[in-house]
Amino acid sequence: MKKINIRRMLGAALAGAFALSGCGGTAGSTDIAGVHTMTAEEYVQAAANALENAESFEANFTAEISMDGSGTVSTNAKVAMQREPLQARVDIQHDFGDASQTSNIYLEEKNETVNLYMNYDKQWTEMTLSPEDAMNHIRIYDTADNMVSLLSAAKDWQMEDAEGNIVTVTAEIPSEKVYAVEENGKYFQLAGMSGLSETYYQNIGALTAEFRFDWKTGQPISYKIDFAKALESVTNNVLEELNGGVMDKGVTVEKYLISSEITQLDDVESIEIPEAVKSDAINYEKEISLLENSGKP
């Protein structure tokens, strides 16, 4: 079965949008060390091209969430991924103030299915899934695809500043694009609110995203976006429906900041799963199947 390359689809859409709008030229460009740089739109297009053509990457992911004044909970992950065949490793740490929890995930594609190995509470488990279902477990950590999705949805690009070899560009994610962006990146997964219907995303307001690029080449470096207001609106829309349309007091989300930095693009070696992981992993599907078969005459 032929796979659909989401990065290339979004990249093509992004290129088409720029062509139709006539973006480009020198508007918004600046000088760094006496060298004339690209425009904001040219940086975005260069980054999108690099991301859509990359077959592997490594990244550092961070999410910080604070709701109803209860303090900040953070998630940090180190990510490595290859596209063909799909291989991935994600090492995750959740910090809850005075406590923390770690987990690890491996993906390994074989014969059009993906073996997912997950370490939770010091026990490895194994599942066999379709590539799409397997990726849904780690979609929020897929920096390359998610950055292309954000670049494609954003508008009103503004050059902010340059520091060293890095250019910062900001843009707006329109209200009507937030659902598609969240659905692609599963950003609300950590808050337990991903996978909802688009009806809960009505009138949630625009978001501001920040991107950093290499000032010479436009190579993507990082993105950052605060989903606080969007998460607050969606959560309260759900609560209002559950309460029969009556809403005395809703949830306040002070912060839901997602950021991810690409540390290596298109230069990741094979991601090997240790044999100890494979041998220790419990496959509950197989265990149940063995139990069911053992009771048959």
Side-chain angles (χ1 to χ4, degrees):
M1 182 181 295
K2 186 177 180 180
K3 297 178 183 177
I4 298 175
N5 192 313
I6 300 298
R7 288 171 294 132
R8 287 188 169 84
M9 290 175 60
L10 291 171
L14 183 61
F18 283 166
L20 290 172
S21 62
C23 293
T26 60
S29 60
T30 186
D31 289 331
I32 301 177
V35 178
H36 197 67
T37 65
M38 295 183 280
T39 66
E41 290 82 5
E42 288 169 337
Y43 276 117
V44 171
Q45 188 62 68
N49 290 340
L51 290 163
E52 69 182 17
N53 289 316
E55 290 300 328
S56 65
F57 72 89
E58 289 185 358
N60 294 323
F61 170 91
T62 300
E64 297 175 287
I65 183 169
S66 177
M67 301 176 68
D68 289 332
S70 59
T72 300
V73 174
S74 65
T75 296
N76 296 279
K78 290 187 177 295
V79 187
M81 188 179 297
Q82 283 191 329
R83 299 295 182 191
E84 297 289 345
L86 177 59
Q87 295 179 325
R89 173 174 178 165
V90 186
D91 299 318
I92 309 164
Q93 179 168 316
H94 303 287
D95 291 312
F96 309 100
D98 57 352
S100 64
Q101 184 180 73
T102 61
S103 59
N104 313 88
I105 298 174
Y106 282 102
L107 300 185
E108 181 183 49
E109 183 176 8
K110 286 188 175 181
N111 301 323
E112 297 190 355
T113 62
V114 177
N115 292 331
L116 183 149
Y117 298 89
M118 180 180 292
N119 180 20
Y120 180 77
D121 196 22
K122 299 181 180 180
Q123 175 61 61
W124 283 99
T125 59
E126 177 189 4
M127 292 186 288
T128 302
L129 303 168
S130 69
E132 181 179 0
D133 288 342
M135 278 302 301
N136 281 338
H137 281 267
I138 64 168
R139 190 78 67 184
I140 191 173
Y141 307 114
D142 189 349
T143 300
D145 272 5
N146 293 343
M147 195 169 182
V148 173
S149 175
L150 289 168
L151 292 171
S152 179
K155 68 176 187 178
D156 296 335
W157 299 96
Q158 299 292 326
M159 297 279 287
E160 294 298 326
D161 55 28
E163 182 177 349
N165 294 328
I166 299 173
V167 167
T168 300
V169 178
T170 59
E172 178 182 282
I173 308 295
S175 175
E176 65 271 15
K177 296 290 185 69
V178 175
Y179 170 76
V181 163
E182 196 287 321
E183 183 69 12
N184 181 80
K186 307 296 183 188
Y187 291 106
F188 292 173
Q189 193 174 61
L190 295 174
M193 299 299 290
S194 193
L196 295 171
S197 166
E198 189 173 3
T199 58
Y200 298 107
Y201 284 73
Q202 302 302 312
N203 304 316
I204 62 175
L207 307 178
T208 299
E210 178 186 288
F211 302 89
R212 297 194 305 159
F213 311 111
D214 180 276
W215 76 272
K216 285 185 178 180
T217 65
Q219 282 284 302
I221 294 175
S222 66
Y223 74 82
K224 178 168 61 177
I225 182 168
D226 194 340
F227 283 97
K229 294 304 179 185
L231 178 61
E232 179 176 296
S233 295
V234 169
T235 302
N236 287 329
N237 287 341
V238 171
L239 292 175
E240 184 175 6
E241 181 178 283
L242 292 175
N243 289 327
V246 178
M247 196 68 170
D248 293 332
K249 183 180 180 181
V251 170
T252 300
V253 180
E254 291 88 12
K255 179 198 293 186
Y256 190 36
L257 186 65
I258 300 285
S259 60
S260 196
E261 177 184 17
I262 294 179
T263 57
Q264 195 168 169
L265 187 65
D266 214 20
D267 192 26
V268 177
E269 297 181 357
S270 179
I271 302 167
E272 301 293 338
I273 303 177
E275 287 301 320
V277 170
K278 295 182 178 182
S279 61
D280 291 346
I282 297 175
N283 189 316
Y284 288 106
E285 293 173 334
K286 292 180 179 178
E287 295 286 335
I288 293 171
S289 178
L290 289 172
L291 287 172
E292 291 177 342
N293 291 332
S294 65
K296 294 180 180 179

